[in-house]
Each structure stands twice: as structure tokens, then as C-alpha cells.
Amino acid sequence: MKLVNSEQKIKKPLVWFEISKKNLRYNITQIKSLVKSSKIMAVVKANAYGAGILGVSKIIEKDVNAFGVVGILEAIALRDSGITKPIINLGIYSFEDAEKLINNNISPTIVTFAAFRDFERRSKKLKIKNSVWISVDTGLNRLSVPYQNTVKYISEVSKSKWLAIEGVFSTLTEDKEFDRVQYDRFMKVKK
């Protein structure tokens, strides 16, 4: 085995992956057949999980209803590339990003009353009505509204004249038994 000096340039990459546009579109078609008339959000966070956010998004743009990102930089990159579909920042709401979110029609995920009040105040100031998403903590213990408090939280946000709730979601643990518990909690919130 020949070791490569770390200062030496590697002419051929040691690892790579290739994405087939045809297969990517086929996968979206398969998802559509499963969810029927439900809308599809393509979560392209973390640079489309390393596949390239702009390339992947452009390939599937016509086949999805929205894009999910984490952070203002990914959202702005999509807008700057010409993506006009809804973009949802699934990450933490940042007070510093509020005006960029509003001016670029990017929906934040809000999970605290402070975030709700701040985003509402900024939307009112700019006279632009905005959509928001709410993340429900059904047991994963990520930054979300605890499921026990979600109905009250949704009720308060829904009274806003400047914000409209576009979606409510939760994240599962990928443990089949506990996912069932989480699903039941989410369905209680929905009811």
C-alpha cells in the first residue's frame, strides 16, 4: 500500500458519487404515487445532504410543491438561483434573519412565543403578510413546541393578522415503537 503525502495533490478523487437526473425524477414520481394528492416538500438541507442544493433543486423543481432548508444561506441561495416555489426554513428562527425571510418570501419555523411575536412585529412593520410553520415536539426533544402546549400555541399564532400557519410538522425518532407513540401524540394535536 502506498501512502499519499498530505501535501501532495490527489489527481483522482478517492470517493465520489453520481446522481442520475432520470432516477431522481423517477423517485419523485414514486413518492407522488404513494402520497396521491398530498403536497411534497423536498428537504434539501445541508446542501441536499451533500448532493448539491442548487443542482438537485433545479432537477426536481417542477415535481415538488416546496423546499425545506436549514438556515437563511440555503434559502437565499435557492431564491437567487430563480426558485420561486415556497421555501421553508426548518431550522432555528433567528431574529437577525427576520427581514431577509420576509423580503424573500421564506417561511420560518417558529416554536416560541418570542419568535412568534418578533416575526409578527417585523411583518407588520414591513406591511407584508407571511406564512409560518410550527414544529411539534412529540418526543424527539428537538427545538419544537411541546405537544402538550401546541394547541394553545397554534391558537395564539392563528389569531395574527400578519402571519398565516402554512404547516405543522413533527420529526420521528426512527424507532418503530416510539414512532407510534409520537404519531398518536401528533394526531391528538391535529384533532
Side-chain angles (χ1 to χ4, degrees):
M1 180 167 127
K2 183 179 177 189
L3 296 176
V4 177
N5 180 321
S6 64
E7 294 176 13
Q8 226 178 345
K9 296 215 182 219
I10 299 173
K11 291 183 175 109
K12 272 178 99 175
L14 300 174
V15 179
W16 74 91
F17 71 95
E18 297 175 11
I19 296 179
S20 162
K21 291 178 185 180
K22 180 182 170 187
N23 290 349
L24 186 55
R25 287 186 184 115
Y26 174 79
N27 290 345
I28 297 291
T29 303
Q30 294 303 299
I31 292 168
K32 281 182 159 184
S33 73
L34 292 172
V35 299
K36 308 291 184 227
S37 63
S38 295
K39 293 182 179 181
I40 298 172
M41 178 194 306
V43 178
V44 291
K45 66 180 186 170
N47 195 27
Y49 297 90
I53 191 170
L54 298 180
V56 168
S57 299
K58 287 294 188 178
I59 291 168
I60 62 175
E61 180 180 12
K62 292 177 183 165
D63 301 312
V64 299
N65 303 94
F67 290 94
V69 299
V70 174
I72 193 72
L73 295 178
E74 290 183 332
I76 296 295
L78 289 179
R79 282 288 181 249
D80 287 348
S81 77
I83 300 278
T84 58
K85 296 227 172 153
I87 298 173
I88 297 86
N89 179 15
L90 301 169
I92 297 169
Y93 172 79
S94 170
F95 293 82
E96 294 81 30
D97 296 336
E99 289 189 16
K100 287 181 187 171
L101 292 166
I102 294 165
N103 290 325
N104 288 284
N105 193 26
I106 299 162
S107 302
T109 299
I110 56 168
V111 298
T112 65
F113 281 106
F116 158 55
R117 288 186 192 103
D118 179 73
F119 198 64
E120 180 183 48
R121 180 181 56 79
R122 308 262 193 127
S123 296
K124 182 178 179 179
K125 177 183 166 191
L126 294 172
K127 295 182 172 56
I128 300 173
K129 190 169 180 173
N130 288 279
S131 297
V132 296
W133 284 65
I134 297 172
S135 177
V136 181
D137 181 5
T138 55
L140 189 59
N141 297 320
R142 286 194 178 165
L143 187 61
S144 300
V145 180
Y147 74 95
Q148 304 92 325
N149 304 336
T150 302
V151 173
K152 179 182 176 189
Y153 186 74
I154 288 173
S155 176
E156 286 299 311
V157 175
S158 68
K159 293 175 188 174
S160 174
K161 294 177 184 173
W162 292 98
L163 304 179
I165 300 171
E166 187 175 33
V168 178
F169 69 94
S170 187
T171 305
L172 302 177
T173 62
E174 297 183 29
D175 172 323
K176 286 184 180 186
E177 287 182 37
F178 193 62
D179 283 354
R180 187 82 217 154
V181 171
Q182 287 185 272
Y183 176 81
D184 291 342
R185 289 173 178 171
F186 192 79
M187 288 298 109
K188 284 179 185 172
V189 169
K190 181 181 177 189
K191 184 179 177 186

